[in-house]
Amino acid sequence: MRHPTLARRATAAALATTLCATALPAAAAPAWLTLDEAAWRVLQQQGITHDAVERHVVRTPAIERGTAQRSPRQDTLVLLRVADDGELPRLSLAAHDALHRCGGFMAHANRDDALRTIQRLQARGEGRLSRTAAATAPAYTIDDEAKVQKLLPRLQDTRILDTITQLQGYANRYYRSQTGVKAADDLAQRWADMAAGRSDVSVSRFGHPGFPQQSVMLTVRGATAPDEIIVIGGHLDSISPQAVLRPKGRAPGADDDASGIATLQEVMRVILDSNWKPARTIQFIGYAGEEAGLLGSKDIAARYASENKQVVGVLQLDMTAYEGSASDITLISDYTDSAQDDFVAALASHYLPGLTVTRDVCGYACSDHASWTAQGYPASFPFEASFGEDNPHIHTTKDKTDQFGNTASHALKFAKLALAYAVELGSDAPAR
Ligand code: BES
Ligand code: ZN
């Protein structure tokens, strides 16, 4: 079994299948899918009507589980058209049962959309990154030691815990619920208060077609290279079977992912309180609708790509509070950029000596970093534990701070890493 945690969650409630990433459309219509070979076998076993099957090879420069070795894999993506998208939940359910993970398929509006996604994945696998042109490719150097060391001690785990506690207090932060909308609005207000009095800092909301919850961003405008953007993000929504069923059903989402939002907000606080003015632009983003299929980040990354925005690097913070394994920080290394992952690992060993950093894979597009990767932007995802040793209570009414001892001491490590990342990457004024 690849992922005991997910399997455990899957059997915990029959409804867990609704928590997988499927667009659940109302009316029967054809849908284009890309899926891996395992999910493709499940689709066939289920007798789901489909046609137009083609195969595409994608190389994945991922690190294999339990090794330090980077072993390039060749994966086949199957592209096909299903006759009735109303069958997707059944496929999701069956894949969940057979593979003990989420469906592992992506839905696309049409064949061209699907091909574009495949091409981007291929370009990445072959090292042809589409958007980080050589002129703006960052030098992954560690050369702002004094600045980083001055700011690190200002990060406070008690503040991180306070924010998590505040966020778990909403009935839920479900992307379609009233309280989910309010949680996002309140976050925007809180960030606007933090930005008050700074002409170089702004807060905006990003609306999404199809659901009411908005993504929220705080932008610190770069002094010398404002067009070069560093993104530090996490998802502000939460989910549980109860929240899917009832408007006020409980989905506290303390670890998943109030912890990520609280971690990045503490980095934001320390940066805003300091007199440091980044050379590059730094954006902190709380994504809406991640739990429904990376919806918020998908929209944002696609918009940035269509506007040719130069995103120099993306750091995803999703689950930082639960200390479940000997590994302090686990760098997820699929759907990420291996050069930036190495930089993040170097930052950890430089600024967090004594911590154990290991690598693991999700095996599927498990969080918002994958939305950026799909658009050709370099993304990394430092995660709370080795796979299978992470918080088993996520997506349930039990995902509260007591599951991690009512302390944010583990999350603080991620705040330190993210601060080092922001300052080291944000300080470099690129040579022109
Ligand atoms: N925080 C999780 C992702 C995760 C869970 C990573 C466990 C590593 C270990 C995220 O919020 C999530 O639930 N993702 C979904 C997939 C997404 C596309 C809806 C998942 O993993 O089922
Ligand atoms: Zn989740």
Side-chain angles (χ1 to χ4, degrees), residues 3 6 9 19-21 102 235 256 290-294 318-319 362 364-367 381 383 387 390 394-395:
H3 193 322
L6 279 183
R9 281 202 291 278
L19 308 187
C20 280
C102 277
H235 66 91
D256 187 12
E290 187 268 356
E291 299 286 11
L294 317 180
D318 184 1
M319 299 169 65
C362 260
Y364 56 98
C366 64
S367 192
F381 179 18
F383 182 68
F387 234 69
D390 51 302
I394 68 165
H395 301 173

Side-chain angles (χ1 to χ4, degrees), residues 62-71 333 342 357-360:
I63 300 224
E64 294 294 330
R65 292 207 58 174
T67 75
Q69 219 65 50
R70 187 169 280 124
S71 50
S333 57
D342 290 347
V357 178
T358 59
R359 312 225 187 184
D360 213 332

Side-chain angles (χ1 to χ4, degrees), residues 301-359:
R303 169 88 65 84
Y304 279 33
S306 76
E307 293 175 354
N308 271 313
K309 287 203 180 184
Q310 298 284 330
V311 178
V312 171
V314 175
L315 194 73
Q316 174 70 2
L317 296 173
D318 184 1
M319 299 169 65
T320 63
Y322 181 89
E323 187 170 7
S325 64
S327 169
D328 292 295
I329 293 173
T330 299
L331 283 175
I332 299 296
S333 57
D334 54 350
Y335 298 90
T336 64
D337 182 83
S338 56
Q340 186 181 257
D341 289 349
D342 290 347
F343 174 56
V344 173
L347 287 171
S349 59
H350 189 91
Y351 289 112
L352 299 164
L355 290 198
T356 309
V357 178
T358 59
R359 312 225 187 184

